[in-house]
Amino acid sequence: MLGDVSLLHYALVAAVAFVAGIAGGVTGYGPGLLMPPILLPIIGAEAVVPVIAVSAMLSNTSRLFAFRRAFDPRRAALVIAVALPTSALGAYGYTRLSGAGVSVVIGAVLMLAIPVRHWLGRLKGHLDGPGLMAAGAGFGLLMGGTAGTGVVLLSILLAAGLNGAAVIATDAGISLVLGAVKVAVFQAAGALSPASWVMAVLIGLAATPGVFLARRLVGTLSEGAHIRVLDAVVILGGLVLTLQGLRALAM
């Protein structure tokens, strides 16, 4: 399906990626949650998660470099140790799904990510050791098999007691390592064509200036207002994808 993508489609994806970059710069998450609904009808369900996985590596590399001094190696190592194998398992499972099954999985995860984030937010400072590792293993499985799970990792790190730049840096470092494994699995399974790489790089490049623009916009609305708007958009997008997938499975 990627072979049928027109210049207009590329322009539309770049515009949405730019907006998603702004959302990510304001709230700490956004691109992985907002891109699937626009990408699915353009590139097909099977290509969505591999494309987002590659584009996320670009953004995570820049975030880790920018906030490297705040990186928490101990908590990052705990999460990575248990999340690496489950992330690879989730990515492999994704390659075995049909297009309709992919739509249902992505849609369901998008909708569930919001209540999970709020629940983990109430555990701030109380998640460590075995609890952090258990949460990391579950996150790895989710990350490997779908998109938009960055909000879950952010919430896990907040629940573990990190805040501010430490959350951003540690999230980026963990996501970069797990993302590399995820991309390797997709590449080995033939889920990443040259056209997919082009689309992924376009998204990563288009989202970058949005992050810097977010610095100017962050003061216009409260953080809570931004998050509520993004939550509503994500839930709506997840519902649409889930209904589309269920309709296709029923046919």
Side-chain angles (χ1 to χ4, degrees):
M1 190 169 180
L2 268 164
D4 300 325
V5 178
S6 67
L7 289 177
L8 180 60
H9 287 137
Y10 281 116
L12 177 61
V13 169
V16 175
F18 174 73
V19 174
I22 296 174
V26 172
T27 65
Y29 64 96
L33 290 167
L34 297 179
M35 293 307 299
I38 193 70
L39 284 175
L40 190 141
I42 295 175
I43 66 176
E46 292 88 348
V48 170
V49 172
V51 165
I52 291 178
V54 174
S55 65
M57 289 189 66
L58 298 175
S59 60
N60 285 325
T61 298
S62 60
R63 282 197 300 144
L64 178 59
F65 179 78
F67 297 97
R68 60 191 180 280
R69 293 183 179 178
F71 180 69
D72 188 317
R74 186 184 74 84
R75 289 185 174 89
L78 285 176
V79 174
I80 289 172
V82 294
L84 269 178
T86 57
S87 178
L89 179 62
Y92 175 76
Y94 178 89
T95 65
R96 311 304 296 175
L97 289 173
S98 66
V102 168
S103 295
V104 173
V105 170
I106 295 176
V109 169
L110 288 180
M111 290 188 292
L112 288 173
I114 303 307
V116 167
R117 177 177 63 78
H118 288 291
W119 175 70
L120 286 170
R122 293 195 291 269
L123 297 177
K124 187 171 184 179
H126 298 286
L127 189 66
D128 205 357
L132 179 59
M133 295 179 72
F139 166 73
L141 188 63
L142 281 176
M143 179 190 178
T146 189
T149 54
V151 60
V152 176
L153 179 56
L154 285 170
S155 301
I156 289 172
L157 295 176
L158 286 169
L162 297 182
N163 53 66
V167 173
I168 298 173
T170 308
D171 169 87
I174 293 170
S175 298
L176 183 59
V177 174
L178 299 185
V181 173
K182 183 176 176 178
V183 169
V185 172
F186 288 145
Q187 187 68 52
L192 275 168
S193 65
S196 294
W197 281 92
V198 171
M199 181 66 79
V201 172
L202 172 67
I203 294 171
L205 294 177
T208 299
V211 175
F212 291 99
L213 180 59
R215 293 180 180 178
R216 297 179 177 272
L217 300 178
V218 72
T220 61
L221 285 176
S222 68
E223 181 181 357
H226 280 291
I227 291 176
R228 285 192 294 272
V229 170
L230 187 55
D231 285 355
V233 172
V234 169
I235 290 174
L236 179 60
L239 180 60
V240 170
L241 290 179
T242 302
L243 292 176
Q244 287 177 343
L246 291 175
R247 188 181 300 113
L249 289 173
M251 295 178 63

